[in-house]
Each structure stands twice: as C-alpha cells, then as structure tokens.
Amino acid sequence: MTALVRDPIPLPARPGGRPPAAGAASLALRPLLDPPRRAARVIAVFPSALYLEMRGGPEPRVLAVVSSDAHRLPNAVVVVATRREHPFRSVREGGDAFVGDGRVEADGLRVRIRRWWDPSPALGALQPAALAAGLRSLEAAFADAGMTGGGLAGHPDPDALAACCAAGDLAGAVEAAERIVGLGPGLTPSGDDILCGLLVSLRLVGDAVRHGRAAARLADWLGAAVTADAGTRTTALAATLLHCAAAGGAGAEVAAVLRCVAGHEPPTAAVRRLLAVGHTSGTDLAHGVLAGCRATLALTEHAARTRRTPRVSA
C-alpha cells in the first residue's frame, strides 16, 4: 500500500477530553471524509474494528475503523493502536456517529485523518508467461497451506462462475454471480467474499497483463451486475466491499497475494495471512482471486492466439 502524506492540521483537544487519535484512511473514503461532517450509525463493534453506516448518499456507505493489527479492508481507516489496547471500548453498537471534515467521531472515539493509503496496488506491466508462472506458484502455496473449500464448499455456482469467466461467457458469468450475491451468513457473506476476490483480480491483473483488456471488460460487466441492487440483497458492509472491488479496491491481504502473482514477492507468507482472515472470509476471497487470475490468463491467451491467427482473404 502506498501512503500519501498530507500535512497535519492542528486540532485542539476538547476541554476535559482526549486529543483525537491519528488515522490513515483509504483513498476510497475521500467522498465521505473530505466534505462537511454528516451523521452516521454504528452498525457493529468488535475488539479490532467498528463499522459505521452513512445515512443516505452514494457508495461507499460503510466505513470501517480498524486497529493497526486488524484486516485492512479497502474502506478502512487504520488507527495507531492494537486490539489489545481496546481502542473501541467506548463505542456502542447502534450509537450515533459523525464522518467528515477529515475526521471520524463515535461516542468517545475521535480520529483525525493524517495520512491516506491507496487500496488499488500497482502491479506493473505483466507478460502472460509471467502471469502463468505466478499463478502456478500461488496455486502451490495455497495447496501447501491446506486451503479448504470455504463457506460455499459443495455449492455449484462458484465453480460455474469461474468456468464461465474463463470461457468468456459473459451471460453465464453474470447469472452465476447474481445467484451468490448475499449467499452465506455474517457481515460479509461467503458469496460476496468470492465475488470481491474475483472482481479485484480481474480488474487489477487484467489491467496489468498484456492483452488483458477482455478480463478488465469482464470486470466492468460483472461489477455493474452485482452492485446494481447489492444494497437490497446483502449486508451494508458487503455491498460497500463489492463496490470497492468493482473499482479495483483490495484489502491489504488480497493486495499482497496479487503482488505475489505479479512476481514482486514470494507467496508463502501472503497466502497464510489471507487464509487467516475471518472464519471463512480469507478462504472465500482466495477462491475468488484464483478464479479471477485463471480467467484473466485464459482470456489473455485466447486474445494472443486470435492476434497471431492470419486472416484469410476472400
């Protein structure tokens, strides 16, 4: 992740109160954090994270405030505190909050944005042969780590979605994707985690690899399809993450795995960190990333073969 430093703005402490904590915010949150402050609601609180939902307005509608040792979502503000320091102990689920003017406030928590980070990692130019090698290395690392089937193990639609994407079957891919939106329990259902991994890898790897425009176009169509009514079909947090993924926004663990595919670092440590996310979220994201990388490689190889085939004159 690339940190973009913004000059600190002095913020005096309230009489009798603590000074605001420093935070590093995803660039995806600028539409929420730069304008004047607006009301929000605390929808969930955990030892390492809390989630705020904005009242109205476009996506992103959900903002995550996370500890420095938590999973860094693409819609996150990271505070300089670990979960053991209990940075969110004063915040109540269902309570009021405010977001804007470069800060986040919820009950006793006050965070001032001091830095920005980019949730869309730059993978650099990538040749199809290098993508194939990176994908083989990633598949081996996931196998060595004992990756399981995830939250939708045995369900036919994730496999159908992956096959349609690799074949360039847009209609089939959209149908399979729409069937798994919101499928599964929790704040981020398994179906949505798979879709997030798929969308962000199609977008970022498709943009990086030579002849990868077909994968990027597939990301455009799939992203538009699954985000069109996500707000009514899944949780508020999952809907925001689908919007982020469609735009190429990746969590830190997914971004690290994609850098491995591009050959920038070995995959073993990055794979283990991703699989450790949540109960099944990391595994579901991993299945989506693999499906997206495999589809990008298949579409890229097809495009390269088409370019090499000579045209026959009538």
Side-chain angles (χ1 to χ4, degrees), residues 69-164:
D69 54 349
H71 173 40
R72 184 181 296 193
L73 297 168
N75 61 330
V77 172
V78 185
V79 297
V80 186
T82 67
R83 71 186 70 192
R84 290 186 177 183
E85 297 175 74
H86 306 290
F88 313 123
R89 60 183 176 273
S90 65
V91 183
R92 304 181 324 278
E93 187 172 317
D96 291 329
F98 294 93
V99 176
D101 288 330
R103 52 189 165 177
V104 177
E105 299 179 2
D107 291 328
L109 178 73
R110 299 171 62 229
V111 180
R112 181 69 177 178
I113 307 307
R114 299 297 189 185
R115 295 188 297 122
W116 297 89
W117 57 274
D118 190 347
S120 297
L123 301 181
L126 187 62
Q127 294 296 324
L131 171 57
L135 178 56
R136 288 193 299 270
S137 176
L138 185 64
E139 289 170 335
F142 277 125
D144 290 344
M147 188 173 79
T148 63
L152 295 185
H155 195 287
D157 282 328
D159 288 341
L161 172 60
C164 288

Side-chain angles (χ1 to χ4, degrees), residues 254-279:
V254 171
V257 166
L258 292 178
R259 286 196 295 271
C260 297
V261 173
H264 299 314
E265 56 187 81
T268 303
V271 160
R272 289 176 178 169
R273 287 195 300 269
L274 177 59
L275 294 181
V277 173
H279 182 58

Side-chain angles (χ1 to χ4, degrees), residues 114-220:
R114 299 297 189 185
R115 295 188 297 122
W116 297 89
W117 57 274
D118 190 347
S120 297
L123 301 181
L126 187 62
Q127 294 296 324
L131 171 57
L135 178 56
R136 288 193 299 270
S137 176
L138 185 64
E139 289 170 335
F142 277 125
D144 290 344
M147 188 173 79
T148 63
L152 295 185
H155 195 287
D157 282 328
D159 288 341
L161 172 60
C164 288
C165 287
D169 179 2
L170 176 59
V174 167
E175 289 178 3
E178 289 183 332
R179 287 195 296 269
I180 66 172
V181 173
L183 191 61
L187 280 174
T188 58
S190 290
D192 300 322
D193 286 329
I194 292 171
L195 287 169
C196 283
L198 172 68
L199 287 170
V200 78
S201 55
L202 284 173
R203 167 72 60 209
L204 296 178
V205 180
D207 284 343
V209 71
R210 189 180 181 191
H211 307 315
R213 286 177 294 179
R217 286 196 298 269
L218 179 58
D220 287 338

